[in-house]
Amino acid sequence: MNISNQIKENLEERRSINEEDDFGLEKSWANLTNILSISEDETINYLKNCSKEDVLLISSVFDDVSEKLQSRKFISCLRELDKKYPDLKLTFFIDDAESYIEN
């Protein structure tokens, strides 16, 4: 299964988890982080083409993915998403994710 399909499957599962199910949410986030960390290029390609709703769900793991990828290219992609969807107010999450990159 390619990364795009894995992400879609994870996000569908995430949408079905009750917001009060901390264990379920953490498990879903950890799984999503692992999927998004497999391939920087495939992740960026997915993010550039996914829906606004998917970006919002994925934003919860921006920092964890950034820590694993250690990629300025990933951060640049997130900044583009912030411009594309200003109403999502992603700047704080992106700044936080950028802080995980080691200089």
Side-chain angles (χ1 to χ4, degrees):
M1 183 183 309
N2 67 30
I3 287 177
S4 180
N5 288 340
Q6 290 179 57
I7 295 169
K8 288 176 187 174
E9 188 176 287
N10 176 277
L11 294 177
E12 283 180 33
E13 175 187 305
R14 165 61 186 87
R15 285 180 177 93
S16 70
I17 298 172
N18 185 306
E19 291 300 320
E20 295 178 17
D21 180 1
D22 292 338
F23 178 75
L25 290 173
E26 284 195 33
K27 183 179 173 192
S28 176
W29 287 333
N31 189 21
L32 182 59
T33 298
N34 289 334
I35 296 166
L36 293 169
S37 301
I38 293 170
S39 168
E40 172 189 43
D41 290 335
E42 287 185 61
T43 294
I44 289 170
N45 187 51
Y46 182 84
L47 289 171
K48 286 182 177 180
N49 297 295
C50 72
S51 71
K52 180 178 173 178
E53 292 76 21
D54 286 358
V55 171
L56 184 59
L57 283 177
I58 293 169
S59 69
S60 62
V61 297
F62 282 173
D63 54 349
D64 294 328
V65 175
S66 179
E67 185 176 28
K68 286 188 169 210
L69 289 179
Q70 293 293 308
S71 167
R72 295 273 173 208
K73 191 174 166 185
F74 175 69
I75 298 298
S76 293
C77 172
L78 299 183
R79 298 262 182 230
E80 289 174 29
L81 292 173
D82 196 20
K83 289 177 188 170
K84 185 175 180 180
Y85 304 117
D87 56 313
L88 293 182
K89 301 185 183 338
L90 300 171
T91 306
F92 171 80
F93 299 105
I94 297 167
D95 290 346
D96 188 44
E98 188 170 30
S99 75
Y100 282 85
I101 295 178
E102 298 169 7
N103 294 323

XYZ file of all heavy atoms in Angstrom:
848
model
N 0.847 -1.183 0.000
C 0.000 0.000 0.000
C 0.894 1.249 0.000
O 1.825 1.349 0.788
C -0.888 -0.020 1.255
C -1.853 1.126 1.318
S -2.894 1.215 2.816
C -3.573 -0.406 2.942
N 0.602 2.207 -0.898
C 1.440 3.398 -0.937
C 1.109 4.360 0.207
O 0.105 4.204 0.896
C 1.347 4.091 -2.313
C -0.014 4.683 -2.589
O -0.730 5.086 -1.694
N -0.366 4.748 -3.854
N 1.952 5.343 0.393
C 1.812 6.263 1.516
C 0.486 7.015 1.456
O -0.193 7.180 2.467
C 3.012 7.235 1.562
C 4.247 6.480 2.039
C 2.731 8.424 2.464
C 5.509 7.290 2.067
N 0.106 7.461 0.280
C -1.141 8.204 0.115
C -2.330 7.393 0.626
O -3.179 7.913 1.363
C -1.334 8.566 -1.361
O -2.517 9.283 -1.530
N -2.393 6.133 0.266
C -3.489 5.274 0.729
C -3.426 5.050 2.240
O -4.455 4.997 2.910
C -3.475 3.939 0.001
C -3.922 4.062 -1.441
O -4.574 5.031 -1.819
N -3.557 3.085 -2.254
N -2.215 4.906 2.761
C -2.052 4.717 4.209
C -2.528 5.958 4.973
O -3.175 5.844 6.018
C -0.589 4.431 4.553
C -0.103 3.075 4.092
C 1.358 2.871 4.458
O 1.724 2.955 5.631
N 2.193 2.632 3.461
N -2.200 7.134 4.440
C -2.626 8.381 5.085
C -4.146 8.471 5.067
O -4.774 8.757 6.089
C -1.999 9.610 4.387
C -0.483 9.603 4.553
C -2.598 10.902 4.949
C 0.240 10.622 3.674
N -4.737 8.235 3.909
C -6.199 8.305 3.783
C -6.879 7.341 4.747
O -7.860 7.692 5.414
C -6.630 8.002 2.343
C -6.306 9.116 1.384
C -6.655 8.732 -0.044
C -6.162 9.790 -1.008
N -6.335 9.427 -2.401
N -6.343 6.135 4.841
C -6.907 5.134 5.748
C -6.803 5.603 7.198
O -7.749 5.486 7.979
C -6.164 3.811 5.555
C -6.755 2.648 6.292
C -6.013 1.359 5.982
O -6.180 0.833 4.863
O -5.253 0.890 6.850
N -5.641 6.146 7.565
C -5.444 6.635 8.922
C -6.412 7.779 9.234
O -6.999 7.814 10.316
C -3.997 7.100 9.120
C -3.787 7.711 10.494
O -4.072 8.887 10.705
N -3.295 6.912 11.422
N -6.578 8.711 8.302
C -7.448 9.854 8.554
C -8.914 9.441 8.666
O -9.661 9.999 9.474
C -7.262 10.924 7.467
C -5.878 11.588 7.441
C -5.786 12.573 6.290
C -5.543 12.255 8.768
N -9.312 8.455 7.892
C -10.681 7.937 8.018
C -10.884 7.326 9.398
O -11.905 7.552 10.053
C -10.966 6.896 6.930
C -11.244 7.493 5.579
C -11.526 6.433 4.522
O -12.101 5.380 4.861
O -11.177 6.677 3.356
N -9.895 6.558 9.834
C -9.949 5.953 11.173
C -9.975 7.050 12.237
O -10.750 6.993 13.194
C -8.727 5.058 11.374
C -8.605 4.466 12.759
C -7.287 3.736 12.948
O -6.982 2.839 12.142
O -6.560 4.082 13.897
N -9.144 8.074 12.043
C -9.050 9.184 13.014
C -10.396 9.879 13.160
O -10.811 10.234 14.258
C -7.959 10.166 12.551
C -7.948 11.533 13.211
C -7.718 11.465 14.705
N -7.847 12.760 15.308
C -8.990 13.294 15.737
N -10.122 12.651 15.612
N -9.008 14.468 16.310
N -11.100 10.074 12.059
C -12.399 10.749 12.101
C -13.431 9.951 12.909
O -14.372 10.530 13.438
C -12.916 10.987 10.681
C -12.202 12.105 9.960
C -12.766 12.306 8.545
N -12.124 13.427 7.892
C -11.059 13.334 7.104
N -10.528 12.156 6.848
N -10.533 14.402 6.548
N -13.231 8.660 13.010
C -14.195 7.816 13.731
C -13.887 7.702 15.224
O -14.692 7.165 15.980
C -14.240 6.415 13.104
O -13.044 5.721 13.381
N -12.746 8.228 15.650
C -12.354 8.134 17.061
C -13.022 9.248 17.864
O -12.987 10.412 17.474
C -10.818 8.218 17.219
C -10.140 7.048 16.502
C -10.421 8.240 18.700
C -8.623 7.166 16.435
N -13.603 8.892 18.984
C -14.233 9.852 19.882
C -13.158 10.797 20.423
O -12.084 10.357 20.827
C -14.917 9.107 21.028
C -15.686 10.026 21.934
O -15.164 11.011 22.461
N -16.950 9.703 22.142
N -13.462 12.097 20.458
C -12.501 13.105 20.925
C -12.049 12.885 22.366
O -11.018 13.396 22.781
C -13.094 14.508 20.782
C -13.273 14.964 19.350
C -11.978 15.027 18.557
O -10.940 15.456 19.100
O -12.003 14.621 17.379
N -12.809 12.121 23.135
C -12.447 11.850 24.530
C -11.637 10.565 24.692
O -11.210 10.230 25.789
C -13.706 11.803 25.386
C -14.397 13.153 25.448
C -15.670 13.128 26.254
O -15.880 12.184 27.040
O -16.463 14.068 26.091
N -11.395 9.864 23.588
C -10.615 8.619 23.607
C -9.137 8.952 23.437
O -8.578 8.850 22.357
C -11.106 7.688 22.491
C -10.355 6.367 22.443
O -9.457 6.145 23.283
O -10.664 5.555 21.543
N -8.511 9.365 24.543
C -7.112 9.787 24.493
C -6.191 8.698 23.951
O -5.290 8.974 23.152
C -6.625 10.225 25.881
C -7.288 11.504 26.352
O -7.786 12.274 25.502
O -7.323 11.739 27.579
N -6.400 7.469 24.391
C -5.557 6.361 23.931
C -5.712 6.167 22.420
O -4.728 6.029 21.699
C -5.899 5.060 24.667
C -5.095 3.889 24.193
C -3.763 3.740 24.554
C -5.667 2.931 23.357
C -3.011 2.665 24.106
C -4.915 1.846 22.899
C -3.590 1.717 23.271
N -6.940 6.170 21.940
C -7.194 6.002 20.513
C -6.591 7.119 19.691
O -6.008 6.884 18.631
N -6.711 8.354 20.186
C -6.142 9.504 19.477
C -4.622 9.417 19.427
O -4.018 9.641 18.380
C -6.579 10.819 20.145
C -8.043 11.197 19.993
C -8.370 12.417 20.850
C -8.395 11.449 18.538
N -4.013 9.097 20.554
C -2.550 9.000 20.593
C -2.039 7.903 19.663
O -1.030 8.085 18.981
C -2.055 8.773 22.021
C -2.100 10.041 22.835
C -1.295 9.945 24.107
O -0.249 9.258 24.131
O -1.717 10.577 25.091
N -2.728 6.793 19.646
C -2.341 5.688 18.759
C -2.457 6.122 17.297
O -1.564 5.853 16.486
C -3.234 4.472 19.034
C -2.874 3.250 18.233
C -3.780 2.079 18.586
C -3.507 0.922 17.657
N -4.513 -0.112 17.748
N -3.541 6.801 16.958
C -3.753 7.282 15.600
C -2.677 8.293 15.207
O -2.124 8.238 14.105
C -5.143 7.918 15.474
O -5.340 8.467 14.196
N -2.357 9.226 16.114
C -1.331 10.227 15.844
C 0.041 9.582 15.648
O 0.795 9.967 14.760
C -1.253 11.244 16.975
C -2.407 12.202 17.022
C -3.192 12.610 15.976
C -2.917 12.867 18.173
N -4.150 13.487 16.414
C -4.010 13.667 17.761
C -2.567 12.869 19.512
C -4.737 14.462 18.647
C -3.294 13.663 20.378
C -4.363 14.445 19.947
N 0.358 8.604 16.476
C 1.651 7.921 16.351
C 1.742 7.195 15.011
O 2.788 7.260 14.332
C 1.846 6.936 17.506
N 0.669 6.538 14.632
C 0.636 5.832 13.356
C 0.774 6.819 12.195
O 1.539 6.595 11.260
C -0.662 5.022 13.238
C -0.671 4.105 12.050
O 0.360 3.739 11.507
N -1.860 3.720 11.625
N 0.046 7.937 12.264
C 0.116 8.953 11.210
C 1.517 9.540 11.122
O 2.054 9.727 10.019
C -0.918 10.051 11.466
C -1.000 11.157 10.416
C -1.328 10.596 9.030
C -2.041 12.203 10.821
N 2.128 9.803 12.253
C 3.499 10.331 12.270
C 4.449 9.369 11.565
O 5.273 9.782 10.746
C 3.975 10.570 13.718
O 3.124 11.548 14.321
C 5.411 11.035 13.759
N 4.321 8.086 11.862
C 5.183 7.083 11.229
C 4.972 7.039 9.721
O 5.945 6.969 8.953
C 4.958 5.706 11.842
C 5.496 5.617 13.258
O 6.421 6.333 13.630
N 4.901 4.762 14.057
N 3.730 7.091 9.293
C 3.429 7.056 7.855
C 4.024 8.284 7.157
O 4.677 8.165 6.122
C 1.902 6.986 7.602
C 1.321 5.680 8.140
C 1.594 7.134 6.113
C -0.201 5.666 8.242
N 3.788 9.457 7.737
C 4.259 10.702 7.127
C 5.778 10.829 7.149
O 6.346 11.628 6.402
C 3.627 11.907 7.826
C 2.117 12.065 7.654
C 1.571 13.121 8.609
C 1.767 12.406 6.217
N 6.434 10.048 7.976
C 7.891 10.113 8.095
C 8.610 9.115 7.186
O 9.839 9.107 7.128
C 8.307 9.879 9.549
O 7.721 10.843 10.387
N 7.872 8.290 6.474
C 8.477 7.276 5.601
C 9.216 7.917 4.435
O 10.348 7.563 4.128
C 7.408 6.283 5.069
C 6.858 5.437 6.210
C 7.986 5.397 3.962
C 5.634 4.603 5.830
N 8.561 8.864 3.772
C 9.145 9.487 2.585
C 8.804 10.969 2.548
O 7.640 11.337 2.378
C 8.618 8.813 1.319
O 8.957 9.569 0.166
N 9.815 11.793 2.669
C 9.625 13.242 2.642
C 8.907 13.682 1.362
O 7.924 14.422 1.420
C 10.988 13.925 2.744
C 10.943 15.418 2.544
C 12.324 16.023 2.430
O 13.189 15.446 1.742
O 12.524 17.091 3.024
N 9.374 13.224 0.224
C 8.794 13.647 -1.056
C 7.336 13.227 -1.209
O 6.491 14.011 -1.651
C 9.617 13.134 -2.237
C 10.975 13.823 -2.348
O 11.110 14.973 -1.864
O 11.901 13.218 -2.915
N 7.028 11.990 -0.843
C 5.647 11.518 -0.953
C 4.734 12.258 0.024
O 3.584 12.563 -0.303
C 5.562 10.008 -0.716
C 6.105 9.194 -1.875
C 5.896 7.710 -1.676
O 4.728 7.278 -1.568
O 6.910 6.978 -1.620
N 5.244 12.555 1.200
C 4.465 13.299 2.187
C 4.173 14.706 1.680
O 3.034 15.168 1.736
C 5.212 13.360 3.538
O 5.279 12.031 4.063
C 4.524 14.276 4.535
N 5.182 15.372 1.164
C 4.997 16.723 0.633
C 4.025 16.704 -0.535
O 3.129 17.559 -0.621
C 6.361 17.336 0.246
C 7.150 17.656 1.527
C 6.180 18.582 -0.623
C 8.588 18.047 1.301
N 4.160 15.742 -1.409
C 3.241 15.623 -2.540
C 1.805 15.430 -2.052
O 0.870 16.044 -2.573
C 3.667 14.473 -3.453
C 2.850 14.422 -4.713
O 2.694 15.415 -5.407
N 2.313 13.248 -5.026
N 1.632 14.579 -1.052
C 0.291 14.360 -0.500
C -0.265 15.663 0.071
O -1.407 16.037 -0.206
C 0.302 13.271 0.577
C -1.083 13.010 1.117
C -1.946 12.146 0.461
C -1.556 13.683 2.237
C -3.239 11.937 0.926
C -2.848 13.485 2.705
C -3.683 12.607 2.044
O -4.967 12.423 2.494
N 0.536 16.346 0.869
C 0.075 17.568 1.519
C -0.309 18.645 0.512
O -1.283 19.374 0.710
C 1.143 18.103 2.477
C 1.359 17.283 3.744
C 2.586 17.789 4.501
C 0.122 17.327 4.630
N 0.435 18.739 -0.560
C 0.149 19.747 -1.585
C -1.177 19.486 -2.290
O -1.761 20.402 -2.858
C 1.272 19.796 -2.620
C 2.525 20.459 -2.101
C 3.587 20.523 -3.185
C 4.825 21.254 -2.679
N 5.856 21.339 -3.706
N -1.650 18.255 -2.257
C -2.844 17.889 -3.003
C -4.025 17.446 -2.146
O -5.067 17.072 -2.680
C -2.495 16.774 -3.999
C -1.495 17.245 -5.018
O -1.780 18.116 -5.818
N -0.290 16.685 -4.979
N -3.889 17.470 -0.838
C -4.974 16.966 0.001
C -5.976 18.076 0.333
O -5.743 19.252 0.070
C -4.432 16.309 1.268
S -3.755 17.394 2.515
N -7.063 17.662 0.919
C -8.139 18.603 1.255
C -7.778 19.444 2.477
O -6.909 19.091 3.278
C -9.426 17.835 1.535
O -9.322 17.140 2.772
N -8.496 20.529 2.618
C -8.341 21.426 3.761
C -8.600 20.668 5.069
O -7.881 20.842 6.052
C -9.329 22.576 3.592
C -9.331 23.610 4.658
C -10.340 24.680 4.269
C -10.551 25.684 5.330
N -11.494 26.737 4.910
N -9.607 19.797 5.065
C -9.951 19.026 6.262
C -8.820 18.074 6.640
O -8.527 17.879 7.817
C -11.249 18.240 6.037
C -12.478 19.117 5.904
C -12.604 19.832 4.545
O -11.987 19.385 3.546
O -13.300 20.854 4.499
N -8.180 17.479 5.627
C -7.055 16.584 5.900
C -5.878 17.362 6.483
O -5.223 16.900 7.416
C -6.618 15.846 4.639
C -7.582 14.741 4.236
O -8.575 14.520 4.950
O -7.338 14.106 3.193
N -5.611 18.549 5.934
C -4.525 19.383 6.458
C -4.771 19.682 7.935
O -3.853 19.586 8.749
C -4.382 20.709 5.660
C -3.411 21.661 6.351
C -3.943 20.434 4.236
N -5.995 20.005 8.270
C -6.324 20.312 9.659
C -6.051 19.121 10.584
O -5.441 19.277 11.644
C -7.789 20.753 9.782
C -8.239 21.196 11.166
C -7.399 22.374 11.660
C -9.711 21.574 11.143
N -6.447 17.932 10.158
C -6.186 16.737 10.977
C -4.684 16.447 11.084
O -4.183 16.109 12.155
C -6.899 15.519 10.397
C -8.395 15.419 10.644
C -8.963 14.193 9.942
C -8.707 15.346 12.130
N -3.993 16.591 9.977
C -2.553 16.287 9.952
C -1.760 17.314 10.765
O -0.700 16.985 11.308
C -2.057 16.206 8.490
C -2.688 14.986 7.800
C -0.534 16.113 8.427
C -2.481 14.942 6.293
N -2.278 18.529 10.890
C -1.547 19.577 11.612
C -1.220 19.172 13.053
O -0.252 19.662 13.629
C -2.325 20.898 11.601
O -3.494 20.821 12.380
N -1.980 18.251 13.611
C -1.727 17.811 14.987
C -0.414 17.050 15.131
O 0.087 16.885 16.240
C -2.886 16.954 15.503
O -3.032 15.794 14.725
N 0.150 16.598 14.016
C 1.420 15.857 14.087
C 2.549 16.555 13.327
O 3.614 15.969 13.124
C 1.265 14.387 13.600
C 0.303 13.625 14.493
C 0.854 14.310 12.145
N 2.355 17.804 12.920
C 3.418 18.539 12.215
C 4.736 18.484 12.972
O 5.789 18.244 12.388
C 3.037 20.012 12.025
C 2.069 20.316 10.922
C 1.564 21.600 10.796
C 1.653 19.361 10.004
C 0.672 21.927 9.781
C 0.751 19.675 8.989
C 0.268 20.969 8.882
N 4.690 18.720 14.290
C 5.925 18.768 15.075
C 6.632 17.420 15.131
O 7.855 17.336 14.969
C 5.676 19.313 16.479
C 4.594 18.578 17.247
O 3.856 17.758 16.641
O 4.464 18.828 18.462
N 5.865 16.351 15.311
C 6.472 15.018 15.385
C 7.086 14.608 14.052
O 8.178 14.022 14.012
C 5.431 13.975 15.814
C 4.941 14.199 17.236
O 5.731 14.692 18.068
O 3.777 13.880 17.521
N 6.396 14.920 12.965
C 6.917 14.589 11.634
C 8.169 15.416 11.357
O 9.166 14.907 10.852
C 5.847 14.817 10.542
C 6.430 14.591 9.157
C 4.649 13.899 10.772
N 8.125 16.679 11.717
C 9.276 17.552 11.518
C 10.498 17.039 12.274
O 11.613 17.026 11.745
C 8.947 18.968 11.983
O 10.048 19.817 11.822
N 10.271 16.593 13.498
C 11.380 16.056 14.301
C 12.000 14.838 13.628
O 13.213 14.665 13.623
C 10.880 15.700 15.698
C 11.978 15.243 16.633
C 11.481 14.998 18.044
O 10.295 14.670 18.236
O 12.310 15.122 18.958
N 11.178 13.991 13.037
C 11.692 12.784 12.372
C 12.345 13.091 11.031
O 13.381 12.530 10.700
C 10.573 11.761 12.182
C 10.176 11.058 13.456
C 9.209 9.941 13.166
C 9.028 9.091 14.402
N 8.723 7.721 14.089
N 11.715 13.968 10.238
C 12.238 14.243 8.893
C 13.438 15.185 8.903
O 14.292 15.090 8.023
C 11.143 14.841 8.001
C 10.014 13.934 7.562
C 9.011 14.715 6.704
C 10.532 12.724 6.778
N 13.479 16.112 9.852
C 14.542 17.120 9.895
C 14.693 17.792 8.526
O 15.770 17.819 7.937
C 15.875 16.479 10.343
C 15.899 15.995 11.763
C 15.812 17.144 12.753
O 16.575 18.101 12.679
N 14.858 17.064 13.671
N 13.596 18.335 8.023
C 13.559 18.827 6.651
C 13.025 20.245 6.529
O 11.879 20.519 6.891
C 12.680 17.883 5.818
O 12.377 18.457 4.574
N 13.844 21.122 5.980
C 13.405 22.491 5.683
C 12.381 22.472 4.544
O 11.488 23.317 4.488
C 14.597 23.367 5.292
C 15.577 23.569 6.413
C 15.190 24.736 7.263
N 16.064 24.803 8.434
C 15.687 25.319 9.577
N 14.484 25.798 9.720
N 16.506 25.356 10.585
N 12.526 21.515 3.655
C 11.587 21.367 2.539
C 10.173 21.069 3.069
O 9.182 21.597 2.551
C 12.081 20.234 1.627
C 11.393 20.105 0.316
C 12.119 19.034 -0.512
C 11.298 18.601 -1.689
N 11.931 17.498 -2.429
N 10.093 20.253 4.090
C 8.812 19.944 4.728
C 8.205 21.212 5.334
O 7.021 21.501 5.145
C 9.004 18.860 5.799
C 7.778 18.536 6.597
C 6.694 17.889 6.011
C 7.691 18.865 7.942
C 5.557 17.581 6.757
C 6.562 18.563 8.690
C 5.489 17.925 8.090
N 9.013 21.995 6.027
C 8.542 23.240 6.639
C 8.069 24.205 5.554
O 7.030 24.853 5.701
C 9.634 23.896 7.520
C 10.024 22.965 8.680
C 9.181 25.263 8.027
C 8.919 22.630 9.654
N 8.786 24.294 4.460
C 8.374 25.158 3.350
C 7.014 24.748 2.809
O 6.170 25.599 2.502
C 9.404 25.117 2.216
O 10.601 25.692 2.623
N 6.792 23.457 2.713
C 5.498 22.944 2.267
C 4.398 23.361 3.248
O 3.317 23.801 2.828
C 5.552 21.422 2.128
S 3.948 20.673 1.796
N 4.681 23.268 4.528
C 3.697 23.660 5.536
C 3.384 25.152 5.440
O 2.227 25.561 5.562
C 4.196 23.324 6.945
C 4.480 21.851 7.243
C 4.898 21.686 8.701
C 3.294 20.971 6.916
N 4.405 25.959 5.172
C 4.194 27.412 5.023
C 3.291 27.693 3.809
O 2.458 28.596 3.849
C 5.522 28.135 4.871
C 6.440 27.989 6.062
C 6.385 29.154 7.006
N 7.330 28.948 8.101
C 7.004 29.083 9.356
N 5.785 29.414 9.712
N 7.913 28.899 10.300
N 3.469 26.926 2.745
C 2.608 27.070 1.570
C 1.161 26.734 1.922
O 0.225 27.404 1.481
C 3.088 26.171 0.431
C 4.367 26.621 -0.213
C 4.884 25.633 -1.250
O 4.064 24.923 -1.872
O 6.112 25.573 -1.429
N 0.981 25.694 2.732
C -0.372 25.320 3.167
C -0.994 26.419 4.029
O -2.196 26.674 3.944
C -0.336 24.003 3.948
C 0.007 22.752 3.149
C 0.169 21.564 4.081
C -1.048 22.473 2.100
N -0.172 27.061 4.836
C -0.649 28.151 5.680
C -1.171 29.304 4.821
O -2.190 29.923 5.138
C 0.476 28.624 6.598
C -0.005 29.467 7.761
O -1.201 29.409 8.108
O 0.834 30.184 8.337
N -0.490 29.576 3.714
C -0.934 30.629 2.792
C -2.186 30.197 2.031
O -3.082 31.001 1.780
C 0.177 30.961 1.791
C 1.333 31.699 2.410
C 2.430 31.926 1.404
C 3.668 32.495 2.077
N 4.814 32.500 1.183
N -2.248 28.923 1.683
C -3.384 28.385 0.930
C -4.657 28.366 1.781
O -5.753 28.601 1.277
C -3.039 26.967 0.458
C -4.068 26.322 -0.437
C -3.553 24.965 -0.926
C -4.533 24.262 -1.831
N -4.014 22.962 -2.286
N -4.496 28.054 3.075
C -5.637 27.943 3.995
C -5.428 28.847 5.216
O -5.274 28.349 6.345
C -5.828 26.501 4.456
C -5.998 25.497 3.355
C -5.071 24.474 3.160
C -7.108 25.548 2.505
C -5.248 23.529 2.151
C -7.286 24.615 1.491
C -6.343 23.617 1.318
O -6.523 22.694 0.322
N -5.419 30.166 5.043
C -5.142 31.060 6.182
C -6.155 30.933 7.316
O -5.812 31.166 8.479
C -5.180 32.460 5.559
C -5.923 32.312 4.286
C -5.713 30.894 3.816
N -7.373 30.535 6.996
C -8.399 30.403 8.027
C -8.136 29.243 8.990
O -8.723 29.185 10.066
C -9.789 30.271 7.397
C -9.889 29.126 6.411
O -8.988 28.999 5.545
O -10.862 28.359 6.490
N -7.221 28.327 8.632
C -6.883 27.229 9.544
C -5.939 27.678 10.659
O -5.755 26.964 11.639
C -6.248 26.056 8.775
C -7.145 25.308 7.807
C -6.383 24.154 7.161
C -8.408 24.786 8.493
N -5.324 28.841 10.462
C -4.415 29.402 11.473
C -3.336 28.396 11.891
O -3.214 28.024 13.061
C -5.197 29.917 12.678
C -6.213 31.000 12.301
C -6.897 31.576 13.493
C -7.964 32.588 13.216
N -8.023 33.307 12.016
N -2.568 27.970 10.908
C -1.548 26.941 11.117
C -0.190 27.491 11.552
O 0.690 26.722 11.926
C -1.349 26.142 9.822
C -2.564 25.404 9.284
C -2.276 24.842 7.905
C -2.985 24.308 10.239
N -0.012 28.801 11.521
C 1.308 29.399 11.757
C 1.950 28.920 13.055
O 3.124 28.544 13.073
C 1.223 30.936 11.732
O 0.621 31.337 10.499
C 2.607 31.559 11.846
N 1.184 28.900 14.140
C 1.733 28.460 15.426
C 2.250 27.028 15.332
O 3.346 26.709 15.809
C 0.676 28.573 16.533
C 1.112 27.932 17.821
C 1.974 28.579 18.686
C 0.691 26.644 18.152
C 2.394 27.974 19.864
C 1.110 26.031 19.322
C 1.959 26.698 20.181
N 1.465 26.136 14.713
C 1.853 24.726 14.599
C 3.101 24.575 13.727
O 3.957 23.743 14.002
C 0.699 23.895 14.021
C -0.529 23.915 14.883
C -1.632 24.669 14.525
C -0.588 23.188 16.058
C -2.764 24.712 15.323
C -1.713 23.211 16.864
C -2.802 23.972 16.498
N 3.194 25.395 12.700
C 4.352 25.330 11.796
C 5.589 25.867 12.497
O 6.674 25.269 12.401
C 4.063 26.098 10.497
C 2.889 25.439 9.756
C 5.306 26.137 9.609
C 2.310 26.269 8.633
N 5.452 26.981 13.207
C 6.586 27.526 13.964
C 7.083 26.505 14.977
O 8.296 26.316 15.150
C 6.201 28.824 14.680
C 5.983 29.989 13.723
O 6.379 29.890 12.542
O 5.391 31.005 14.168
N 6.150 25.834 15.637
C 6.507 24.795 16.598
C 7.239 23.647 15.893
O 8.269 23.171 16.372
C 5.251 24.290 17.307
C 5.556 23.352 18.455
O 6.485 23.643 19.243
O 4.871 22.320 18.579
N 6.713 23.223 14.759
C 7.344 22.135 13.999
C 8.754 22.524 13.570
O 9.682 21.716 13.632
C 6.493 21.792 12.776
N 8.920 23.778 13.170
C 10.240 24.237 12.724
C 11.252 24.214 13.870
O 12.433 23.950 13.659
C 10.133 25.646 12.139
C 11.411 26.117 11.482
C 11.224 27.400 10.707
O 10.355 28.224 11.085
O 11.942 27.585 9.718
N 10.785 24.423 15.081
C 11.680 24.426 16.230
C 12.287 23.038 16.507
O 13.281 22.930 17.235
C 10.955 24.949 17.479
O 10.067 23.977 17.993
N 11.719 22.003 15.929
C 12.228 20.644 16.124
C 13.380 20.299 15.168
O 13.977 19.236 15.291
C 11.095 19.618 15.975
C 10.226 19.535 17.195
C 9.162 20.405 17.370
C 10.472 18.586 18.181
C 8.359 20.343 18.503
C 9.678 18.519 19.306
C 8.606 19.396 19.459
O 7.843 19.323 20.581
N 13.628 21.171 14.222
C 14.722 20.915 13.289
C 16.033 21.339 13.939
O 16.170 22.476 14.427
C 14.513 21.649 11.953
C 13.276 21.096 11.257
C 15.742 21.540 11.060
C 12.939 21.761 9.956
N 16.964 20.436 13.955
C 18.272 20.721 14.546
C 19.106 21.501 13.546
O 19.176 21.150 12.374
C 18.970 19.416 14.933
C 18.203 18.629 15.976
C 18.733 17.218 16.166
O 19.777 16.885 15.597
O 18.065 16.461 16.893
N 19.731 22.556 14.028
C 20.550 23.401 13.128
C 21.926 22.863 12.919
O 22.541 22.216 13.569
C 20.614 24.829 13.662
C 19.246 25.488 13.606
O 18.492 25.258 12.668
N 18.928 26.278 14.599
